[in-house]
Amino acid sequence: MAHAFVRPAAAALLALLGVLGPATAPASAAPARAAATSCYGGAITVSTDDALEFGPYTASSRCKDINIRIVGGDAGSVNACVKFVRYGTCNYWTNVGRSWKTIATDVLDGSRFTVPLGVDLEGNTARVQIAY
């Protein structure tokens, strides 16, 4: 019985031509993408027109952190913190813009919290998404 040997360059060419099966992404890339998608996919949207402190919310296994970003309004940034109901004080204030920013890490499932926002006093408004 003859054994076929295909050089790496030839294997790449055959894959391009569809002779060999399609190349697959590393197994570790798909779960990371899926985790981020499910975390951010469950984000809620709130507006500073409605309030300046949002919640209470209950942390879930969907995200291990609490993340926030601006998605609308005229504010260039907001300051946000996480106030765990159990303690009643903010963890720390973080300046947040239009990209996702983590405002609390390694949050235990079932933790109850609110998210106070600080918007400058120039009348700016912000619509934000919170993923937890």
Side-chain angles (χ1 to χ4, degrees), residues 6-7 26 48 75 85 87 92 105 109:
V6 179
R7 296 176 188 227
T48 58
V85 170
Y87 301 109
Y92 51 86
T105 58
D109 293 354

Side-chain angles (χ1 to χ4, degrees), residues 91-130:
N91 58 347
Y92 51 86
W93 288 94
T94 302
N95 190 266
V96 177
R98 298 201 178 256
S99 297
W100 284 109
K101 188 89 166 220
T102 300
I103 58 174
T105 58
D106 297 323
V107 178
L108 296 175
D109 293 354
S111 298
R112 295 199 32 87
F113 64 94
T114 62
V115 178
L117 294 183
V119 181
D120 70 35
L121 300 176
E122 298 297 316
N124 288 335
T125 61
R127 195 168 70 249
V128 300
Q129 286 185 320
I130 305 168

Side-chain angles (χ1 to χ4, degrees), residues 61-73:
S61 59
R62 186 176 55 241
C63 301
K64 78 175 205 175
D65 302 328
I66 299 171
N67 306 282
I68 188 170
R69 70 175 176 173
I70 295 176
V71 293

